[in-house]
Amino acid sequence: MLASRGVRDIVAGIPLRSTMPFDIMKNNAPHTSISRRAFLNRLSATGTLALAPRAMLAGDGNGKTFGVALAGLGGYSTGQLGPALKLTKHCRLVGVVTGSEGKGRKWAQEHGFPETNIYHYDNMAAMADNPAIDIVYVATPNALHAKHAIAAAAAGKHVICEKPMATSVADCDAIIAACEKAGVRLGMGYRLHYDPHHEELRRLVRTREFGSFMKMDGGFAFKMTKPQWRAEKELAGGGPLMDVGVYVIQEAFMAAGTVPLVAVTARELPKERPEFFKDVEESLEWTMEFANGAKCQCFTSYNSNRDEFRAEAEGGWFQIGPAFGYRGQKASTSRGPVVVEPPASQQALQIDAFVRHVRDGAPNLVPGKMGKRDMVVIEAIYASAAKAGERIELKV
Ligand code: NAD
């Protein structure tokens, strides 16, 4: 197996680059303290996403417990998804898809499922005969998402696909078409939609408490030290933009609300380690322009550390940093620190919410079309960077 260093390993210790005024964290502004349930209930009383927080509340449904099979037993599955599937209320891990039988047996033992539920990437079609598996969670390298998601859909299984959804818009379309054809549901592994700090940003947007966020700035970057597929175009599809830059794109959309994105401009920064980043970018900066004139300055890199986002409106601001990890978020607004109860596992909430979507008709906060939207933006960013920062118009 290829050695790799997952986000699991990089999110915990990313030092915050203090390029933005995190002054409010140091002053005596009153804390906004909200219990998780009160926070979710309050949100459920507002706006068009009124049902969304209910989808985040696990444990109040009476339906059957769904069976999930994990495809790809690498760092993210081992460190996050496996443990999350021990915390989910509406589903449990009942199978795996892996290239290593030994690994599969270890997972079967640990999670208590029969070895007959261990599949190889080449025999995913056989899952069609296994009613214990309702959902396949695809967590393989980016360029394989389409192949594995399409195989899962063809076997009649609902699909959760890790980010980035694929490595091209064409592959995103193929996944969406396969799920539609098979009549199965598709969701993304966008876990931050289930983190209350980020939900607070979305609440501010919905309620327009500060007005529209017009000036945004964010970055997600880490210093890659070990060779891995993430720096190989064939398996990764691109560099840090595909891997961690996509979080900044996501956050910009959260801050913009329903306002469409109309243009991007991008610039690849000169490589400091060209021998390491042979066929992918090392660092990239880009601007996202929205239809109301709002702009987001974005940054990603495999050669520096950054993990933060800030959004400013006429009536106030929101900022978060650390922003994009599995835990440890710190957010504040112009009113003071945002104090919310962090979930035990963003991923457990995300997976349970998908079951609630499939089983109970709850809204899907992170549908496949959102994954495709982000890939449209990623392709436009690469197109702009390839043309020395030419402004690329689009409407998503
Ligand atoms: P990893 O390298 O640790 O694991 C990848 C797995 O895929 C391994 O088990 C490997 O054996 C398997 N695999 C199957 N076919 C392969 C092939 N041809 N080449 C290489 N490996 C192959 O990677 P990871 O960190 O677990 O990432 C997996 C996916 O999850 C990626 O798409 C990544 O973007 C995503 N991810 C998401 C998050 C998140 O926070 N949502 C965090 C980390 C990773």
Side-chain angles (χ1 to χ4, degrees), residues 131-339:
I133 298 171
D134 302 286
I135 295 170
V136 174
Y137 195 129
V138 178
T140 47
N142 307 346
L144 303 173
H145 290 179
K147 183 180 169 205
H148 298 142
I150 291 167
K157 307 304 175 188
H158 303 287
V159 180
I160 304 176
C161 188
E162 253 320 314
K163 45 71 28 187
M165 184 172 175
T167 51
S168 68
V169 173
D171 276 358
C172 294
D173 281 334
I175 296 174
I176 291 169
C179 289
E180 278 173 6
K181 187 175 167 208
V184 297
R185 302 290 174 91
L186 171 63
M188 290 296 301
Y190 284 147
R191 57 186 167 73
L192 292 180
H193 281 259
Y194 301 92
D195 180 280
H197 302 88
H198 295 268
E199 173 54 28
E200 176 63 2
L201 170 61
R202 301 208 311 281
R203 188 192 68 78
L204 288 168
V205 172
R206 279 199 301 280
T207 57
R208 299 187 51 79
E209 279 173 39
F210 295 157
S212 299
F213 289 112
M214 298 301 290
K215 193 172 165 231
M216 284 98 84
D217 188 333
F220 195 16
F222 71 98
K223 193 147 185 148
M224 184 180 281
T225 50
K226 289 187 197 138
Q228 55 185 282
W229 65 260
R230 281 183 168 78
E232 291 169 25
K233 192 165 183 191
E234 201 183 330
L235 276 175
L241 179 62
M242 286 274 179
D243 188 25
V244 288
V246 67
Y247 286 95
V248 188
I249 294 172
Q250 275 270 306
E251 201 75 3
F253 276 119
M254 282 191 202
T258 54
V259 183
L261 178 75
V262 292
V264 296
T265 48
R267 188 171 75 96
E268 185 181 344
L269 304 183
K271 290 181 186 176
E272 287 172 23
R273 292 190 290 154
E275 73 294 344
F276 199 97
F277 304 106
K278 288 193 182 75
D279 60 358
V280 299
E281 77 279 5
E282 180 183 285
S283 304
L284 196 68
E285 54 187 27
W286 72 97
T287 304
M288 296 166 68
E289 289 177 44
F290 292 87
N292 62 352
K295 281 191 182 175
C296 185
Q297 307 293 341
C298 313
F299 174 78
T300 192
S301 176
Y302 276 157
N303 203 37
S304 59
N305 293 310
R306 202 174 157 193
D307 179 12
E308 60 191 357
F309 187 85
R310 179 178 167 95
E312 292 175 12
E314 217 172 272
W317 51 260
F318 170 92
Q319 66 187 21
I320 183 163
F324 303 117
Y326 306 139
R327 55 193 68 84
Q329 274 78 6
K330 282 196 166 49
S332 52
T333 75
S334 37
R335 291 183 188 140
V338 174
V339 182

Side-chain angles (χ1 to χ4, degrees), residues 24 29 33 86 89 93 114-115 140 164 187 207 219 223 227 234 256 259 270 344 358:
I24 195 75
S33 183
K86 289 180 178 169
K89 301 256 171 40
L93 187 69
E115 290 187 8
T140 47
T207 57
K223 193 147 185 148
E234 201 183 330
V259 183
V358 175

Side-chain angles (χ1 to χ4, degrees), residues 13-36:
I14 289 179
L16 189 67
R17 204 182 77 173
S18 52
T19 51
M20 295 193 281
F22 279 74
D23 51 312
I24 195 75
M25 288 181 182
K26 296 181 200 131
N27 73 18
N28 295 321
H31 287 213
T32 315
S33 183
I34 318 168
S35 81
R36 180 168 164 264

Side-chain angles (χ1 to χ4, degrees), residues 1-9 11 71-78 80-81 97-100 103 121 137-145 148 162-164 189-191 228-230 235 242-244 247 324-326 346-347 350:
M1 198 185 79
L2 289 167
S4 83
R5 177 177 147 93
V7 173
R8 174 172 63 92
D9 301 312
V11 288
L73 304 179
Y76 192 50
S77 289
T78 306
Q80 301 301 323
L81 298 176
V97 183
T98 174
S100 154
K103 221 196 249 183
Y121 298 108
Y137 195 129
V138 178
T140 47
N142 307 346
L144 303 173
H145 290 179
H148 298 142
E162 253 320 314
K163 45 71 28 187
Y190 284 147
R191 57 186 167 73
Q228 55 185 282
W229 65 260
R230 281 183 168 78
L235 276 175
M242 286 274 179
D243 188 25
V244 288
Y247 286 95
F324 303 117
Y326 306 139
Q346 297 164 351
Q347 292 86 350
Q350 168 218 313

